[in-house]
Amino acid sequence: MTTAALASMRADLAGFRAAIADVPVIDEPALVRLRSRDFFWFSPILKAQLQRKSADLVVCPRDEADVVVVARAAARHRVPVTVRGAGTGNYGQAVPLEGGIVLDMTDMTAIEWQRPGVVRVQPGKKLVDLDAETRPAGWEQRMHPSTKRTATIGGFVAGGSGGVGSVTYGGLREPGNILGARVVTLEPEPRVLELRDDAAQKVCHAYGTNGIITAVEMATAPALAWIDVLVAFDELSQAVACGHAVALADGIVKKLLTPVAWPVPTYFKGLEQACPEGRSLLIAMVAEPSLAPFEAMVAARGGSVTYRAPTEEGPGARPLYELTWNHTTLHALKVDKEITYLQSLFPVDRTLAAIAEIEALLGDQAMGHYEFVRYNGVVAAVGLPLVRFTTEERLRAMIALHQQHGVMIADPHVTSLEGGSGHMRADIDQLGFKHEVDPLGLMNPGKMTSFTARG
Ligand SMILES: Cc1cc2nc3c(=O)[nH]c(=O)nc-3n(C[C@H](O)[C@H](O)[C@H](O)COP(=O)(O)OP(=O)(O)OC[C@H]3O[C@@H](n4cnc5c(N)ncnc54)[C@H](O)[C@@H]3O)c2cc1C
């Protein structure tokens, strides 16, 4: 059958199911609905749009051979495919907009190999388990999202952008962080492609629209002993300036520098002793040998250390990185259901001035939350301010205010790649690659809106 004829076919779920033979499926409706959700509800706008969306069936491949069987059957029977890791994505990335199947990758967890500085692993591996298996050889992930204890490596590569560790290594997209990816195409005769170096970026943060990742090769970092630290300051501006100074101090080995304004610390339940009334915090993760010079830097800038403990990630533990990145929003939402957030990137040539400007303009409308990262080789600040949602118009006005002052926004209240991009468009390589690997447009339909099947 030609591509055009296939494209005009309607989804034939029964034919698909027969064609995948013994590949495990879940068809219990409540479970299918559960695995069709992610953390889209952080946005009241997406909550209204997505809460009733569901796949028709969940399919759970055991290995790459199963993935090929599923890809072939989906292309031949015109069934939409939404790939899923742990479903911690924020923008409805793993929510099927047009039904079809959710392809749950969490049974593909093997480490294919590791050597000093590199690990090759199947996509369903949980990030916390990945570190547990590379650390005995002396290596750990260069960066991970704050969802490390739940999210998968495939979901991080396909849906994430960076996180804990990005203050040293930049985002996932910095050259050298993702070294390779293996991808199964969604065609009547699926191909298995090996993408090396730059080419592997085509599937990074593409929301699973352009190929099913069956392995990734990630650069790793020497594993160190990490210390969680909380530092209190009288003013947010001091916490921000101190975080910036430590980010620039190349001799201090760190993974996390997160300034948050009072009253954000009131959302950190169980840490009241370490969150003095009225004071802003710098949340940090510092390598144990760097702790003394770090503490000297913060003392010189008016900070007082209120908490210090080795980073613990086991069951029942509470790593401080789970107060940062989008976990900050999660803690606020647990207390106040009206809270939502924005995602911004401050200009690198006037970071502190631009933060002060936005803080003054937003005033009580937002609670400051910043993450220091490296971006294209320089230190930059990402903002994840907490805002109380009233109307979509007011949220859009806040976004416009940032943009008018030279602060880029990656809108977390839209489902499309294009709408969520600071540049408001799909990466040209990712769009071109989608035509090659998903010519019928069956992968996560609706998420890459600039794609139209050529027929
Ligand atoms: C509290 C909270 C904190 C967060 N903090 C961060 C953070 O610090 N940094 C950050 O970058 N993100 C963050 N996120 C977003 C999210 O957790 C990360 O992107 C995470 O890595 C997603 O992993 P997952 O396994 O849950 O992926 P999922 O949510 O299951 O999937 C994410 C996307 O990847 C696609 N996908 C998954 N597996 C594959 C595959 N094998 N092949 C092709 N496509 C695939 C899916 O279709 C989907 O579009 C946060 C989210 C929450 C809720």
Side-chain angles (χ1 to χ4, degrees):
M1 206 182 288
T2 63
T3 305
L6 270 166
S8 64
M9 271 171 60
R10 303 232 345 235
D12 166 19
L13 206 66
F16 166 84
R17 211 167 158 169
I20 63 168
D22 71 337
V23 181
V25 298
I26 298 170
D27 55 8
E28 209 271 288
L31 264 181
V32 174
R33 269 200 304 280
L34 203 64
R35 298 227 188 152
S36 300
R37 293 173 67 83
D38 64 9
F39 281 68
F40 63 83
W41 50 268
F42 273 30
S43 160
I45 296 168
L46 297 185
K47 191 172 173 183
Q49 282 173 22
L50 300 181
Q51 59 189 352
R52 282 182 228 301
K53 300 284 179 194
S54 179
D56 300 299
L57 187 70
V58 177
V59 183
C60 308
R62 296 155 294 193
D63 53 25
E64 190 178 86
D66 277 358
V67 173
V68 171
V69 167
V70 172
R72 180 183 295 119
R76 292 185 178 189
H77 297 278
R78 198 70 171 94
V79 172
V81 175
T82 302
V83 192
R84 177 187 167 96
T88 65
N90 281 119
Y91 331 117
Q93 289 172 319
V95 175
L97 299 182
E98 297 184 15
I101 64 157
V102 158
L103 189 65
D104 184 321
M105 305 300 285
T106 51
D107 288 336
M108 290 181 59
T109 60
I111 289 184
E112 292 185 3
W113 50 259
Q114 54 170 311
R115 58 183 165 79
V118 198
V119 63
R120 188 168 170 103
V121 58
Q122 291 183 345
K125 186 82 169 176
K126 268 208 227 173
L127 297 164
V128 69
D129 296 339
L130 181 55
D131 263 5
E133 287 178 43
T134 55
R135 271 187 158 259
W139 298 88
E140 65 182 16
Q141 289 160 86
R142 286 185 170 182
M143 74 195 69
H144 60 78
S146 60
T147 47
K148 177 178 181 183
R149 296 202 295 174
T150 41
T152 65
I153 183 70
F156 183 41
V157 167
S161 51
V164 185
S166 289
V167 67
T168 301
Y169 289 101
L172 276 169
R173 282 203 171 159
E174 292 289 342
N177 283 333
I178 303 174
L179 300 172
R182 197 169 153 96
V183 168
V184 173
T185 68
L186 212 98
E187 300 175 282
E189 285 309 333
R191 292 166 294 147
V192 182
L193 308 177
E194 179 71 26
L195 307 175
R196 303 299 315 166
D197 306 318
D198 267 4
Q201 294 297 341
K202 293 174 188 171
V203 294
C204 177
H205 204 70
Y207 294 12
T209 57
N210 60 7
I212 305 165
I213 301 168
T214 53
V216 286
E217 214 171 291
M218 305 298 290
T220 49
L224 295 169
W226 294 99
I227 309 293
D228 286 345
V229 192
L230 289 179
V231 189
F233 292 87
D234 288 340
E235 303 293 336
L236 174 68
S237 59
Q238 291 174 296
V240 170
C242 183
H244 192 240
V246 178
L248 287 168
D250 289 333
I252 295 195
V253 181
K254 61 265 172 183
K255 268 194 179 174
L256 198 58
L257 293 167
T258 310
V260 292
W262 182 264
V264 175
T266 58
Y267 298 125
F268 301 156
K269 297 301 168 206
L271 280 166
E272 289 78 6
Q273 299 273 332
C275 301
E277 175 80 19
R279 302 183 82 195
S280 294
L281 292 181
L282 177 65
I283 308 166
M285 259 177 92
V286 180
E288 192 274 330
S290 289
L291 189 61
F294 169 76
E295 292 196 358
M297 277 189 83
V298 302
R301 287 164 178 77
S304 37
V305 172
T306 59
Y307 177 93
R308 180 195 300 112
T311 308
E312 294 288 349
E313 303 181 303
R318 184 164 192 193
L320 280 197
Y321 62 70
E322 288 183 2
L323 301 180
T324 69
W325 290 88
N326 232 346
H327 266 83
T328 316
T329 321
L330 182 61
H331 291 292
L333 269 164
K334 281 184 187 161
V335 177
D336 183 344
K337 299 275 175 273
E338 313 274 89
I339 297 278
T340 189
Y341 72 117
L342 294 174
Q343 296 177 149
S344 57
L345 177 66
F346 284 80
V348 292
D349 53 346
R350 49 183 200 95
T351 305
L352 298 188
I355 290 178
E357 220 168 275
I358 291 292
E359 283 288 327
L361 285 165
L362 290 175
D364 287 346
Q365 295 186 80
M367 291 172 261
H369 165 199
Y370 300 92
E371 299 287 346
F372 284 105
V373 296
R374 284 184 80 83
Y375 183 77
N376 282 337
V378 290
V379 166
V382 168
L384 293 130
L386 301 179
V387 299
R388 186 157 287 105
F389 183 73
T390 50
T391 63
E392 184 166 349
E393 291 66 39
R394 186 165 157 267
L395 200 64
R396 299 268 161 240
M398 273 189 217
I399 290 176
L401 191 77
H402 280 81
Q403 291 163 334
Q404 283 151 16
H405 288 80
V407 180
M408 193 188 269
I409 290 279
D411 188 350
H413 303 283
V414 292
T415 50
S416 73
L417 258 173
E418 288 83 349
S421 148
H423 305 285
M424 300 304 286
R425 58 177 161 74
D427 183 300
I428 195 76
D429 278 356
Q430 293 187 330
L431 180 59
F433 191 56
K434 183 167 174 75
H435 281 286
E436 270 179 54
V437 301
D438 179 29
L440 300 169
L442 289 169
M443 291 205 65
N444 219 347
K447 303 288 169 57
M448 195 189 274
T449 48
S450 44
F451 172 84
T452 38
R454 290 181 181 135

